[in-house]
Amino acid sequence: MDEARNDGGGRRLGWLLTSSAASHLGDGIGKVALPLLATTLTRDPVLIAGLSATQFLPWLLFAAVAGALVDRIDRRRAMIVANTARAVAVGVLAGLVAAGGMTIWLVYLVALIIGTAETIADSAANALIPAVVGGGSLDAANSKLQACEIVGQTFLGGPVGSLTFALFAAFPFVLNSAGFAIAAAVLLGLAGTYRGQAETPARPLRTELGAGLRWLRGHPLLLRLVVVAGLLSLVSELAQAQLVLYALQDLHLSDATFGFFAFAGGIGGLLGAGVAPRLVRAAGRLPVVVGGIVCCGIGFGGMGLVRSPVVSAALFALFAAAVVAVNVVLATARHTLVPGELLGRVLGVWRTVVWGAIPLGALLGGVLTERLGTAARTFAVSGVAMLAIAAFAFAALRRFALGDKSDSAAAWAHHDPGL
């Protein structure tokens, strides 16, 4: 892969992290403001869940194609184009909200457009990590990328989105659009070219997609990790898609304070990102993954049983810390085990499964809330299911943590801080 050799890895990573921070800030504002906008149009739990499903549906439909594309084109340019497209789409949404012409179906349409562009932007950003890090620590780089996402989407974006929505409904979408525009502009400072392959291959795109899928099927460790991640994604979204209803109806929070409930999740997420590399070095990857999923289950299960906003926020922080620590380990496993020229395609297959499970989980969560009567009970169901996933993860990954003769097992079990 070609890259700017005269530019230090730390500086290249800095450009990428700055762009990601701006993008995630805009994303965080929008991900709070969109559900709040939807609740002004309907309180039907299935329709609210449908919005979350619509936002992530492109990952089910296009993640594999997006992954193949970012292996064939310059990944930096792909991020610039995708972020520009998101800025335009959200800008149009802001105009429609200001004009008072929104319906729930228009909200769905804009969410679908934004989500489609996101498949390119996020796939390219993740595939760029090994190139910009160079000889640095992948665990540390992935933790920093996770921290950017947490700070932008929950620590800052959530409160800003809810407060500005309470002031003027179109305001958060203007800020959201600006965040994407800044993310695109910042990447102009990232020197070099970042193609997955030296030249665009002549093989059909379908053939390229098949290569990534075949590689994944031939590596038992990564295949098990994607199954665990997919199950965790499905079950966690049962509850997360109902978070706005849980906050407004079960905890009786206002629109303005909903974002500060998510603020607690940001604090927990930052803690998880900060301690994940240390936990891996001290305990190994399997304990971090299994223990993290157990903590996720305790967090959501507890939220289903309490009605105190303070206690619920603390439990949500526990969930956020745990899921971020798990994500750091999974991201490093991908970057360590997958060849660079295949990273986009394997990541595309991964996200088709993992992020593609989110729409299904969101819709199931909406049906559960409708049947059970409250979103709190859906959180309780989600928490119990996560504990079952933790047991499955331990059984599926245990032999790799102990090590066997395969290169995959050695890379998984190895605790070198440079990984």
Side-chain angles (χ1 to χ4, degrees):
M1 177 181 294
D2 295 329
E3 52 188 80
R5 299 294 181 185
N6 61 342
D7 189 12
R11 186 178 178 185
R12 293 196 302 272
L13 181 60
W15 285 113
L16 179 60
L17 292 176
T18 301
S19 173
S20 295
S23 173
H24 287 307
L25 176 59
D27 218 6
I29 292 171
K31 285 184 177 178
V32 167
L34 272 175
L36 288 174
L37 177 62
T39 60
T40 66
L41 302 169
T42 179
R43 288 297 178 103
D44 185 325
V46 176
L47 288 176
I48 296 296
L51 174 60
S52 180
T54 300
Q55 288 176 299
F56 287 97
L57 182 61
W59 287 102
L60 179 61
L61 300 177
F62 307 125
V65 175
L69 285 175
V70 301
D71 278 344
R72 302 178 72 165
I73 61 179
D74 187 294
R75 290 161 176 171
R76 179 185 69 99
R77 292 182 181 178
M79 289 181 67
I80 292 173
V81 172
N83 281 321
T84 300
R86 289 196 286 180
V88 172
V90 180
V92 171
L93 173 63
L96 291 172
V97 173
M102 289 304 299
T103 68
I104 189 65
W105 308 115
L106 284 175
V107 176
Y108 277 27
L109 177 61
V110 174
L112 187 64
I113 294 170
I114 295 170
T116 301
E118 186 179 31
T119 64
I120 296 291
D122 281 12
S123 295
N126 276 272
L128 266 176
I129 283 287
V132 299
V133 168
S137 168
L138 284 171
D139 276 328
N142 282 312
S143 291
K144 290 175 182 177
L145 194 64
Q146 286 283 321
C148 285
E149 180 176 349
I150 296 155
V151 170
Q153 294 205 14
T154 56
F155 201 70
L156 294 177
V160 170
S162 60
L163 282 174
T164 53
F165 185 86
L167 292 173
F168 177 47
F171 193 7
F173 302 109
V174 173
L175 298 178
N176 189 356
S177 179
F180 290 140
I182 292 170
V186 165
L187 285 171
L188 297 174
L190 180 60
T193 57
Y194 297 87
R195 289 182 177 272
Q197 300 168 351
E199 297 180 358
T200 301
R203 293 184 297 177
L205 188 61
R206 185 171 62 181
T207 303
E208 295 295 304
L209 288 171
L213 181 59
R214 286 191 299 274
W215 189 95
L216 182 60
R217 289 174 59 187
H219 286 75
L221 170 57
L222 212 62
L223 192 60
R224 283 167 170 78
L225 289 175
V226 75
V227 171
V228 170
L231 290 173
L232 181 60
S233 178
L234 173 72
V235 169
S236 64
E237 192 61 21
L238 289 176
Q240 288 202 97
Q242 299 297 301
L243 183 60
V244 65
L245 292 181
Y246 173 78
L248 299 182
Q249 296 181 351
D250 292 303
L251 300 182
H252 307 292
L253 299 178
S254 66
D255 289 350
T257 55
F258 169 59
F260 286 98
F261 179 81
F263 184 83
I267 295 175
L270 282 177
L271 178 63
V275 303
R278 298 174 188 176
L279 289 175
V280 168
R281 289 194 294 269
R285 290 185 166 84
L286 179 64
V288 174
V289 169
V290 175
I293 298 173
V294 169
C295 289
C296 287
I298 293 172
F300 271 9
M303 287 174 69
L305 300 176
V306 303
R307 292 297 180 271
S308 165
V310 174
V311 176
S312 291
L315 289 167
F316 191 68
L318 173 64
F319 164 79
V323 79
V324 166
V326 171
N327 285 338
V328 167
V329 174
L330 295 178
T332 299
R334 292 194 304 264
H335 292 146
T336 303
L337 301 175
V338 182
E341 67 275 9
L342 282 170
L343 186 56
R345 279 165 284 176
V346 174
L347 183 60
V349 176
W350 178 291
R351 289 196 161 179
T352 297
V353 175
V354 177
W355 289 42
I358 292 177
L360 179 58
L363 292 175
L364 288 175
V367 173
L368 267 178
T369 298
E370 188 175 54
R371 295 291 178 88
L372 298 177
T374 68
R377 291 172 181 170
T378 301
F379 271 85
V381 171
S382 175
V384 172
M386 286 180 189
L387 297 179
I389 292 172
F392 169 78
F394 178 78
L397 301 173
R398 184 170 180 268
R399 76 178 179 92
F400 294 100
L402 296 175
D404 60 22
K405 295 180 180 180
S406 71
D407 292 338
S408 294
W412 167 259
H414 192 41
H415 298 167
D416 188 338
L419 282 180

